Amino acid sequence: MKKLLLSISLIFAAFSTNAQNVYSYGFNSPTATMIGADGWTRTNQSTSPSTTSLWTVANYATSTASATNQGVFQNQVYANGATVQIPNGQAGGPNSFALVNYTSTTSTATTGATISNWLISPIVTVQNGDIVTFYTRIGKYSATGEASFADRLQLRMSTAGAFSSDPTGGPTGVGDYTNLLVDVNPNLDLTSYPTTWGQFSYTVSGLTGLTDVKFAFRYFVTNGGANGSNSDIIGIDTFSVDRPTANTQDFFAGNFAIQPNPVSDVFTLSTKNGVAIEKVEVLDINGRIVSQVNGSATEALQVNVSDLNSGVYFVRVQSDLGVGTSKIIKK
């Protein structure tokens, strides 16, 4: 029995893998590299847009001349009361993050203006179940946990890949970036935007398979600008798209069911969340495939194991979300 249990544990270990990183960007390179070799693009569609105030990689320097402005991302911490400590991103060293601010609009209207300033990623190939994460924070620090001015950030996605149309036509246009994934502080209050680096995430869904997409960060603030009631300065960092470990027993239990188990002749494999089954394999305790059924993207399959000897087997399911594995007993 001990030898059998050891074999079972080794089989599960063989089926488990680490999450695969699909794409990551830490905003460590200078702005010219970000929008050049690294493939990011920018467009400012704000009311009365500034042609110079775009998303940039931070480039603070230790200078006493503009100490107040340069301290906004480090909780106003200074060395010797004058020299600025260069702010760090969520990961990496000093200046390793991207930022944008209220000068996105040049409007001087007393009622403020709408800011819509975009930072767009290069093409990333994703599938359902991929997890998109990033970190963001406001620049100004307050001991009460409140911002001086409310800020807002959206993460959007275009499924048109290389043919994606950029936003045009002013602050209401979104181009092909019609999929809103994350909306940070949509109500523009003073307490909901993180004052330290906070992580946000989205699990990709609704795709038909592997899809070339582009992601876009949109600094989107109404009543913003120099005279507006909202908008100040925000940063983003550590943008990542990861394909999580899907071939574990927990993944199987969360998405599939086997009936009956133990099984005499035929078992039915069904999905719990509408996951499309692509292939089902039955393996013996040595990891050898002893039966296989193609799913043709159906949501339930019957698998005949009547010709197998009694014992413990494993069912490995390939689906549109990943691969899951579970144990069955053949009577």
Side-chain angles (χ1 to χ4, degrees):
M1 175 59 76
K2 289 183 179 180
K3 187 174 183 179
L4 174 61
L5 291 176
L6 177 60
S7 298
I8 291 173
S9 65
L10 289 175
I11 291 293
F12 272 117
F15 293 156
S16 298
T17 60
N18 294 324
Q20 174 190 357
N21 179 252
V22 177
Y23 179 83
S24 62
Y25 198 77
F27 303 100
N28 300 319
S29 303
T31 301
T33 302
M34 176 180 72
I35 63 174
D38 293 345
W40 291 75
T41 58
R42 304 173 296 178
T43 180
N44 187 356
Q45 294 297 314
S46 305
T47 301
S48 301
S50 167
T51 58
T52 58
S53 187
L54 301 167
W55 283 90
T56 59
V57 175
N59 61 351
Y60 294 117
T62 54
S63 168
T64 59
S66 55
T68 300
N69 291 332
Q70 293 185 9
V72 294
F73 270 96
Q74 59 206 24
N75 300 351
Q76 306 294 335
V77 176
Y78 303 93
N80 302 322
T83 303
V84 176
Q85 295 178 356
I86 301 176
N88 292 327
Q90 182 273 329
N95 288 329
S96 62
F97 62 98
L99 58 83
V100 69
N101 64 29
Y102 70 94
T103 62
S104 297
T105 174
T106 61
S107 172
T108 57
T110 56
T111 56
T114 299
I115 293 173
S116 183
N117 204 338
W118 297 74
L119 176 64
I120 301 171
S121 78
I123 295 171
V124 183
T125 303
V126 301
Q127 66 181 29
N128 291 336
D130 288 352
I131 299 176
V132 185
T133 58
F134 66 93
Y135 287 80
T136 187
R137 61 164 291 182
I138 57 173
K140 292 295 180 67
Y141 169 78
S142 170
T144 64
E146 289 192 359
S148 300
F149 300 93
D151 273 315
R152 181 183 183 184
L153 174 70
Q154 292 182 341
L155 177 67
R156 289 179 167 270
M157 182 177 72
S158 166
T159 57
F163 303 97
S164 298
S165 297
D166 287 349
T168 58
T172 61
V174 297
D176 282 334
Y177 297 86
T178 55
N179 299 285
L180 177 60
L181 310 186
V182 179
D183 201 350
V184 183
N185 196 23
N187 297 322
L188 288 169
D189 62 61
L190 297 177
T191 57
S192 294
Y193 210 111
T195 57
T196 58
W197 291 109
Q199 186 183 49
F200 293 82
S201 66
Y202 175 81
T203 301
V204 176
S205 62
L207 304 178
T208 58
L210 286 171
T211 305
D212 287 345
V213 306
K214 285 188 175 183
F215 296 98
F217 289 101
R218 183 193 191 192
Y219 184 44
F220 184 42
V221 186
T222 54
N223 195 10
N227 294 328
S229 300
N230 300 319
S231 77
D232 199 344
I233 183 170
I234 64 169
I236 60 171
D237 198 10
T238 317
F239 175 69
S240 184
V241 181
D242 295 281
R243 197 153 294 157
T245 300
N247 49 352
T248 65
Q249 190 173 16
D250 289 341
F251 175 81
F252 189 101
N255 292 281
F256 306 101
I258 293 177
Q259 293 291 337
N261 188 15
V263 55
S264 297
D265 298 309
V266 177
F267 68 83
T268 298
L269 177 73
S270 58
T271 69
K272 298 180 180 180
N273 303 311
V275 180
I277 302 171
E278 298 171 355
K279 183 170 63 176
V280 179
E281 297 171 328
V282 180
L283 302 93
D284 63 21
I285 61 172
N286 295 312
R288 295 173 298 195
I289 298 173
V290 294
S291 181
Q292 178 176 306
V293 178
N294 291 324
S296 301
T298 57
E299 294 185 2
L301 279 178
Q302 287 191 329
V303 181
N304 191 326
V305 292
S306 60
D307 60 340
L308 298 181
N309 295 326
S310 298
V312 175
Y313 294 86
F314 297 92
V315 177
R316 182 165 62 191
V317 185
Q318 182 174 320
S319 73
D320 60 343
L321 287 186
V323 181
T325 302
S326 187
K327 180 175 67 176
I328 62 168
I329 297 175
K330 170 65 168 64
K331 293 192 293 186

